[in-house]
Amino acid sequence: MAYALQQLINGISLGMIYGLIAVGYTMVYGIIGMINFAHGDVFMIGAFLSLIAVLLLSMGGVMGGPAGIILVLLLSVVITGVYGWAIERIAYRPLRGSFRLAPLISAIGLSIVLQNFVQVSQGARVKPMETLVPGGIEVMREEGFVVQFAYTQMMIIGVTLAVLAVFTILVTRTPLGRAMRACEQDRKMASLLGIDTDKTISLTFVIGAALASVAGTMYLLRYGVIDFYIGFLAGVKAFTAAVLGGIGSLPGAVLGGLLIGLIETFWSAYFSVQYKDVAAFSILVLTLIFLPTGLLGRQEVEKV
Amino acid sequence: MRLQLALKDALVGAVVAALLFVPLVALRTDVGSTGALTLRYRWTDAAILIGLVFIGRLALVLWMGRDGLRPSTSAGPWTLRLQRLGKLAAPAFLAVALVLPAIPGIDRYWLDLGILVLTYVMLGWGLNIVVGLAGLLDLGYVAFYAVGAYSYALLAQYFGLSFWVCLPLAGVLAAFWGILLGFPVLRLRGDYLAIVTLAFGEIIRVVLLNWVSLTGGPNGISGIPRPSFFGLPFSMAGGEGTFAGFFGLEPSSTHRVIFLYYLILALALLTNWVTIRLRRQPLGRAWEALREDEIACRALGINVTVTKLTAFALGAMFGGFAGAFFATRQAFISPESFTFIESAIILAIVVLGGLGSQIGVAIAALALIGGTEIFRDLQEWRMLVFGGAMVVIMVLRPRGLVGTRTPSIALGKRRAIDGKLVGEGHG
Amino acid sequence: MSRPILEVQGLTMRFGGLTAVSGVSFAARSGEITALIGPNGAGKTTLFNCVTGFYRPSEGIIRLHKPGEPPTELQRLAGHRIARAGVARTFQNIRLFPGMTALENLLIAQHNRLMASTGWGIGAVLGLSGYPRAERQAVELAKRWLTATDLMDRADDPAGALPYGQQRRLEIARAMCTEPALLCLDEPAAGLNPRESDELARLLLDIRAEGTSILLIEHDMGVVMRISDRVVVLDHGVLIADGTPAEVRRNAKVIAAYLGEDEEEVAAADDRRAMPQASAAGLNRSGSNP
């Protein structure tokens, strides 16, 4: 019981991170109808930028306390946002309206570039960081097993919910959100109605990158070890989350993220750690075969 | 006026570059001697990069105008010349490939490079059946390469079967896996199919990595038997019953390399020959029709599932052959050789070469694999250049180097069909 | 009066809560041109898609009577088996293989026959089978239809580069290359100019003369009344008339369906509003079917 409760807590906090990344996939898929293959690497960049920000701030003596973490978040969000913008500008915009495979290949190319850029500039070795926020609350104790709700986990859940709340307001209540939804429905019509679709798509990438960067910061604070390759697996799992929740659906992405986090955690805890990635991949395959529209997605009817 | 515009653009570029490069390049994180992380400053490196972006953007706008670099699908001077040379180019390439080992000055290094390039040419041709002809986006092609390699390694290890028995078996097993994996997923479309095939590729790799009792896990399988020349082993010792002994040659380690070179050349040409033949026949035409319009195919009575499966299985089979060759050449395999990046490289070769174009795929493999070999000593830079090349080529020529399609039959003269008209499949 | 080629009995098609076609029964006779007409949203395309195997009907039987063969129940067949059973179709928004030449398009239509002659691919790769002869025959058939549709000089051009009218004709030629017993055409005259419409009418009469029966959806009443032997009228998913063109033209229900909407305009659905003027004016096509 206690063991399961601990897994539940771990699974939810991991799932929140996947959910944040998945929102970026779902948004981009919704608006330009393609998988942003470099999105997982944006998450990785976000984690690295957070690490650098933490080191900079602790050298300046301002790290420590919530203010420091908020500064780290801000720094990493802004610069990762620039990365998101640059990715769209370089690999997607020139190919808009072109062949479907071309942007996919250029995005895969850019994903390789980002990974190797970080490998070259920051080194291939893993970066272990001392934990900034140690400890947690003891939730319950059973036969010597202590269930701990770590402060970092609370922070992940709190920050994720706050970010998602702001983001939801942005999408549903602001002109930008309206423009995004209009582009999603019919980009040509939206541009005829005077919406700057290029700008809207750019902003979608920036927002997606910002969310991935928050996920990167959270990942760094919680797990403390990053390398240039973390983006690939996290990306595939987050994409699985987006598909599971129903691609194009924002609440679906978060729900999918939570499910993937929980399944992965429980799978590792009760079956086999080695095969935990197989669990995520199998869910992806099974979802696409048996529930291609996902949990909250819309049904599509084949037109003849 | 133009200078002003160019300066403004270059300045914007430099500011963006500064934001991108200052944190990640100028501030390098290092694990210090105490195990704690420290920052090292590298301002000059970042400044050089920013300067390069500024100058590059400035030059680009001055020289070619703001919209200088735009995607082009029309047949550029490049492709036109290639087409005119096409009839000559293919035999010329083939001739060079055939006599390569005999050319003076070609040493072992060049032969090894030739083998590497030819392996990717073969993989590219194999995947071209799936992606280029049938229009099925497969991001997990490396799985079949792995199946072929492990099939040979395991059959040789556990049953002592020779390479020549295992080669067809590896192909058959890979084709079987292709059908097994293909059957449930082939009704998916586009990006979904891509991501599912990617997942399959990763599942196979993770299983290979963790099924230690069978595959040796991360340590891989070593001591895989080398191929023999129709029963005559290559041996440095020479003597009766070896290749060198039988032909009365001085025993040399290059014999085997030359043999491997011709082996992969033959396998690649087999792939090419089968593809070219099938393209002119109902099956190949049905693949291309499927790429153009699946619904119309169904209305014409073509069994869409079976047709897709044949493409998938045939592509997988050639991947399996290449895998068996890889295993026998290396004598050692481990899951590390079968990562997603390999699938991405093979797909990039196919797309950059031009979907469906055999000569394009061969040129792309030569350029990408041979070209980035120059950066071999700088391992991580090599992939950086590789990824960058993928982006640049795609942005400039989204249809690949050879973007046109040649009809499979004609009453009069065969005229190339503009890439704009040719579909690229939806699944 | 000849035998039926196609018999539809109690055909019903529901999409979720919406009944697009409800209990429709009619027969198309062998060697005749049967037209399926009705206002927009009447369920013509749905019915059509059931007959050609793109939808599986919720209820009802669709029976194909090929001369000299036992009847086939089409609703039981998998999509790709319909064409093999002897039903070919064209599409409202043309679906050619745009990157392939006209000739290639027509050869793909003969895929199943050619495939059998190659020994399912394997024999042909090895050069063992009687494939070259089969291909020559296939090319002959293709040439015949290219000539019949006046496209012979475009044989080696990519289908996607042909002008609209030629694409329509090529699609019909492609359907005919499957050697069907019943040819189903979804608005073949849509977008054609009057001269092209005339040519089309002549082509369809030629096809009928060669013994292929035709079922067509058409908005161009000029074409329908001129060439149809029989007209079936649907409205709101229900069959309201079935008879010769002359009979149908006089049918009160048909006139009400097309023209009577003015009186109940308030109740009429928005998408049907364009219809009365268009058909009253005579022979135009209006809008496209959902």
Side-chain angles (χ1 to χ4, degrees):
Chain A
M1 180 56 211
Y3 187 59
L5 182 64
Q6 181 70 70
Q7 301 315 319
L8 187 69
I9 294 170
N10 294 349
I12 288 177
S13 58
L14 178 64
M16 288 281 186
I17 294 179
Y18 288 151
L20 276 175
I21 311 174
V23 170
Y25 276 112
T26 256
M27 275 169 62
V28 167
Y29 197 94
I31 204 159
I32 57 171
M34 29 201 342
I35 302 169
N36 178 6
F37 233 95
H39 193 59
D41 300 295
V42 171
F43 157 77
M44 178 270 295
I45 296 262
F48 264 90
L49 288 169
S50 312
L51 175 67
I52 290 165
V54 166
L55 291 179
L56 266 184
L57 290 178
S58 21
M59 275 164 48
V62 277
M63 198 62 223
I69 291 175
I70 289 174
L71 260 177
V72 168
L73 271 172
L74 275 178
L75 275 172
S76 124
V77 158
V78 168
I79 301 200
T80 315
V82 177
Y83 269 93
W85 179 86
I87 287 171
E88 197 273 336
R89 190 71 189 75
I90 293 170
Y92 284 94
R93 191 181 294 179
L95 293 170
R96 198 160 297 153
S98 177
F99 300 97
R100 192 175 52 89
L101 277 178
L104 184 77
I105 299 293
S106 68
I108 291 177
L110 211 55
S111 158
I112 295 176
V113 167
L114 288 178
Q115 269 178 35
N116 288 279
F117 165 63
V118 172
Q119 192 190 359
V120 168
S121 66
Q122 294 290 321
R125 287 182 61 183
V126 293
K127 310 281 177 191
M129 192 187 78
E130 274 175 52
T131 178
L132 287 175
V133 194
I137 298 175
E138 193 180 308
V139 181
M140 70 182 280
R141 190 186 282 270
E142 193 183 271
E143 293 159 24
F145 187 86
V146 181
V147 180
Q148 213 190 28
F149 194 0
Y151 291 128
T152 46
Q153 289 176 319
M154 280 179 223
M155 198 172 66
I156 289 175
I157 294 170
V159 169
T160 306
L161 290 178
V163 165
L164 286 175
V166 172
F167 171 72
T168 310
I169 292 170
L170 186 76
V171 172
T172 52
R173 301 277 161 81
T174 64
L176 171 65
R178 231 177 350 261
M180 278 163 64
R181 279 176 292 145
C183 288
E184 209 171 301
Q185 294 285 323
D186 188 335
R187 205 185 319 148
K188 204 175 234 165
M189 197 62 214
S191 80
L192 286 175
L193 293 174
I195 292 173
D196 186 344
T197 51
D198 275 351
K199 199 175 115 197
T200 310
I201 294 172
S202 275
L203 279 171
T204 307
F205 272 82
V206 170
I207 295 170
L211 292 178
S213 122
V214 174
T217 314
M218 295 297 128
Y219 183 92
L220 175 74
L221 294 180
R222 169 81 191 127
Y223 299 97
V225 181
I226 56 171
D227 64 48
F228 70 98
Y229 200 63
I230 56 169
F232 176 68
L233 264 185
V236 174
K237 286 176 188 168
F239 178 75
T240 307
V243 170
L244 182 61
I247 200 134
S249 155
L250 297 175
V254 180
L255 177 68
L258 282 176
L259 283 173
I260 295 288
L262 286 169
I263 291 167
E264 190 182 316
T265 315
F266 276 90
W267 182 283
S268 315
Y270 289 97
F271 298 107
S272 132
V273 185
Q274 285 96 24
Y275 285 100
K276 75 178 159 93
D277 297 339
V278 171
F281 290 128
S282 308
I283 294 163
L284 175 65
V285 174
L286 293 176
T287 314
L288 282 175
I289 293 172
F290 295 109
L291 195 72
T293 51
L295 295 169
L296 304 179
R298 283 181 295 256
Q299 195 78 33
E300 271 180 50
V301 180
E302 183 183 40
K303 288 233 172 183
V304 177
Chain B
M1 204 43 219
R2 189 160 184 179
L3 182 70
Q4 213 176 356
L5 193 73
L7 275 172
K8 202 185 125 216
D9 266 21
L11 211 63
V12 171
V15 169
V16 172
L19 284 171
L20 295 181
F21 294 138
V22 165
L24 280 174
V25 176
L27 306 170
R28 157 90 187 224
T29 51
D30 277 317
V31 182
S33 50
T34 57
L37 285 169
T38 55
L39 276 182
R40 184 152 57 87
Y41 303 105
R42 293 185 305 190
W43 297 108
T44 27
D45 297 26
I48 291 170
L49 278 173
I50 296 164
L52 280 178
V53 169
F54 181 83
I55 293 167
R57 183 77 192 153
L58 189 70
L60 188 73
V61 176
L62 278 180
W63 184 34
M64 302 181 75
R66 218 168 182 181
D67 297 326
L69 293 179
R70 287 280 131 191
S72 150
T73 51
S74 58
W78 232 104
T79 18
L80 278 178
R81 221 168 296 151
L82 210 84
Q83 266 155 22
R84 220 169 299 134
L85 287 172
K87 284 201 171 64
L88 295 172
F93 270 119
L94 183 61
V96 171
L98 277 174
V99 299
L100 185 75
I103 296 174
I106 295 292
D107 58 8
R108 197 152 161 194
Y109 169 78
W110 289 103
L111 282 178
D112 276 333
L113 183 58
I115 292 174
L116 187 70
V117 169
L118 281 173
T119 311
Y120 279 96
V121 169
M122 174 167 181
L123 287 168
W125 278 339
L127 185 63
N128 198 19
I129 297 175
V130 183
V131 182
L133 294 183
L136 303 166
L137 190 46
D138 184 353
L139 275 181
Y141 191 62
V142 77
F144 307 122
Y145 191 42
V147 167
Y150 272 88
S151 296
Y152 171 50
L154 293 173
L155 286 171
Q157 196 176 41
Y158 288 100
F159 300 102
L161 297 179
S162 82
F163 175 75
W164 295 105
V165 177
C166 291
L167 182 68
L169 280 179
V172 168
L173 281 170
F176 170 74
W177 275 96
I179 292 171
L180 207 66
L181 300 187
F183 195 72
V185 302
L186 284 179
R187 64 199 174 95
L188 297 175
R189 276 150 186 275
D191 295 2
Y192 278 13
L193 181 68
I195 206 89
V196 166
T197 47
L198 185 155
F200 274 142
E202 283 298 299
I203 289 175
I204 287 191
R205 192 179 62 85
V206 175
V207 170
L208 289 177
L209 198 61
N210 290 297
W211 194 350
V212 179
S213 60
L214 181 75
T215 64
N219 298 328
I221 301 174
S222 51
I224 300 167
R226 300 307 201 113
S228 59
F229 185 82
F230 303 105
L232 299 172
F234 293 94
S235 164
M236 281 302 286
E240 212 48 33
T242 67
F243 176 78
F246 186 84
F247 289 99
L249 298 168
E250 192 69 23
S252 158
S253 63
T254 23
H255 287 163
R256 184 193 295 150
V257 182
I258 293 174
F259 175 67
L260 284 171
Y261 175 83
Y262 280 115
L263 181 59
I264 187 65
L265 183 62
L267 285 172
L269 289 177
L270 175 75
T271 313
N272 186 32
W273 181 71
V274 170
T275 310
I276 287 179
R277 272 200 85 102
L278 278 178
R279 223 189 132 239
R280 293 186 183 162
Q281 286 176 2
L283 186 59
R285 278 194 208 115
W287 289 337
E288 292 201 79
L290 211 60
R291 180 191 66 199
E292 300 278 317
D293 194 327
E294 192 176 320
I295 286 175
C297 281
R298 210 173 350 144
L300 294 173
I302 293 172
N303 188 334
V304 170
T305 315
V306 168
T307 310
K308 281 183 179 176
L309 275 180
T310 52
F312 220 63
L314 208 67
M317 185 181 81
F318 289 121
F321 287 155
F325 172 81
F326 177 75
T328 194
R329 181 206 168 199
Q330 300 281 344
F332 165 77
I333 51 170
S334 75
E336 228 174 89
S337 309
F338 308 104
T339 53
F340 164 70
I341 206 78
E342 288 295 315
S343 292
I345 290 173
I346 304 166
L347 182 67
I349 287 173
V350 173
V351 177
L352 297 180
L355 290 172
S357 160
Q358 297 291 98
I359 183 85
V361 168
I363 294 173
L366 185 67
L368 280 184
I369 303 301
T372 49
E373 227 8 63
I374 300 165
F375 300 88
R376 186 195 184 81
D377 298 333
L378 305 153
Q379 256 302 322
E380 38 207 29
W381 288 92
R382 181 172 159 248
M383 284 315 287
L384 192 60
V385 171
F386 186 90
M390 267 169 87
V391 178
V392 171
I393 302 182
M394 265 303 98
V395 168
L396 296 183
R397 297 205 67 80
R399 265 274 139 165
L401 298 173
V402 181
T404 55
R405 175 181 177 271
T406 319
S408 63
I409 188 170
L411 295 179
K413 201 165 153 280
R414 276 175 224 228
R415 289 187 304 258
I417 295 172
D418 194 307
K420 259 180 254 170
L421 294 170
V422 181
E424 53 177 341
H426 297 281
Chain C
M1 281 294 177
S2 63
R3 314 159 288 103
I5 177 93
L6 182 79
E7 226 185 311
V8 175
Q9 276 177 16
L11 188 81
T12 300
M13 183 73 209
R14 281 184 286 266
F15 296 103
L18 180 88
T19 307
V21 174
S22 143
V24 169
S25 302
F26 70 91
R29 295 207 184 102
S30 185
E32 288 193 352
I33 295 178
T34 308
L36 193 58
I37 65 168
N40 276 342
K44 303 182 298 289
T45 298
T46 306
L47 176 73
F48 209 74
N49 283 338
C50 289
V51 170
T52 52
F54 280 84
Y55 296 156
R56 198 166 288 259
S58 315
E59 284 162 36
I61 297 170
I62 306 163
R63 211 176 273 128
L64 181 75
H65 298 271
K66 232 172 144 182
E69 282 178 31
T72 327
E73 294 205 354
L74 296 181
Q75 83 279 3
R76 294 195 177 165
L77 298 181
H80 65 272
R81 299 245 170 226
I82 303 273
R84 296 186 201 181
V87 179
R89 73 167 291 176
T90 64
F91 295 86
Q92 193 178 315
N93 40 353
I94 306 170
R95 282 182 173 273
L96 290 165
F97 305 117
M100 306 177 86
T101 65
L103 179 64
E104 284 180 306
N105 268 273
L106 300 191
L107 289 183
I108 291 160
Q110 305 174 61
H111 175 79
N112 289 316
R113 214 175 322 125
L114 285 169
M115 201 61 193
S117 77
T118 62
W120 282 273
I122 300 159
V125 170
L126 302 172
L128 292 177
S129 63
Y131 175 69
R133 200 165 56 91
E135 192 183 75
R136 269 198 302 279
Q137 283 170 357
V139 172
E140 281 313 309
L141 182 65
K143 276 182 176 167
R144 222 187 87 211
W145 282 107
L146 283 171
T147 315
T149 50
D150 198 19
L151 289 170
M152 201 52 195
D153 52 333
R154 308 303 303 259
D156 293 337
D157 288 333
L162 300 181
Y164 189 80
Q166 296 190 346
Q167 291 198 5
R168 282 253 172 239
R169 293 210 299 276
L170 181 60
E171 207 189 12
I172 294 173
R174 188 179 66 179
M176 287 313 294
C177 278
T178 67
E179 305 195 299
L182 176 68
L183 175 66
C184 298
L185 305 169
D186 197 345
E187 297 198 24
L192 300 186
N193 62 35
R195 192 177 54 80
E196 289 173 325
S197 285
D198 278 350
E199 287 170 6
L200 174 80
R202 229 170 297 129
L203 174 65
L204 296 187
L205 290 173
D206 285 349
I207 290 173
R208 183 185 68 175
E210 291 198 25
T212 304
S213 318
I214 296 176
L215 176 70
L216 72 124
I217 294 180
E218 191 46 70
H219 276 298
D220 186 332
M221 289 304 148
V223 173
V224 169
M225 294 302 164
R226 192 142 35 105
I227 65 170
S228 306
D229 300 297
R230 198 168 188 80
V231 179
V232 175
V233 192
L234 292 186
D235 188 31
H236 288 99
V238 183
L239 184 123
I240 58 168
D242 178 1
T244 64
E247 285 166 8
V248 165
R249 221 188 312 225
R250 285 194 304 270
N251 188 306
K253 277 194 204 161
V254 177
I255 296 168
Y258 274 102
L259 303 173
E261 283 177 347
D262 292 337
E263 293 148 27
E264 48 184 67
E265 199 171 57
V266 188
D270 283 3
D271 61 328
R272 290 176 37 189
R273 215 164 267 167
M275 193 63 203
Q277 292 86 359
S279 52
L283 316 170
N284 288 322
R285 162 190 191 277
S286 83
S288 61
N289 268 17

